[in-house]
Amino acid sequence: MKIESLREVKNNFSEVIEALPRTGPVVVTKNGRSAALLLPIDEDTDLESLILSNSQRFWKLFDRAAAGKRTPLEKLPDDDDDKAWKQLAGRTRKK
């Protein structure tokens, strides 16, 4: 994995992007701290998995499902009922 400053990446963006298949991921730092990650992608890259792996909402739902905290299909709210979905996602299981 390569580490580059934001300034270096900004000044050489095209070269950094073109080199990604060879160098692999590049950590971009700002003021000495990690700020971003550039990843090489190709036709085999599963972008949906990459995005979901960084979603806190997804992992909360995953953990809830893995713990057996499931809601029967017939008790789920309508698709467009945001308030009900938020309430459902935030509820804790009673023992």
Side-chain angles (χ1 to χ4, degrees):
M1 186 174 330
K2 193 173 177 183
I3 300 173
E4 293 284 352
S5 70
L6 178 59
R7 179 175 293 174
E8 188 69 27
V9 171
K10 282 171 54 175
N11 290 339
N12 302 297
F13 189 70
S14 292
E15 291 86 1
V16 171
I17 297 299
E18 288 175 16
L20 281 173
R22 293 188 314 279
T23 64
V26 175
V27 175
V28 181
T29 61
K30 183 176 181 182
N31 299 324
R33 296 184 144 183
S34 299
L37 178 65
L38 298 174
L39 296 171
I41 60 172
D42 59 24
E43 61 276 351
D44 295 325
T45 304
D46 186 353
L47 293 176
E48 290 83 5
S49 293
L50 280 172
I51 292 167
L52 283 176
S53 70
N54 287 301
S55 168
Q56 288 182 357
R57 181 176 178 209
F58 169 77
W59 287 112
K60 284 179 185 177
L61 290 171
F62 182 88
D63 290 342
R64 184 169 178 237
K69 300 174 184 174
R70 300 169 192 231
T71 303
L73 186 59
E74 59 275 359
K75 291 190 177 183
L76 291 175
D78 292 330
D79 292 342
D80 59 351
D81 191 348
D82 290 339
K83 184 178 178 182
W85 280 105
K86 286 179 184 176
Q87 183 180 8
L88 184 63
R91 127 179 134 191
T92 58
R93 187 174 191 177
K94 296 178 184 175
K95 293 183 180 183

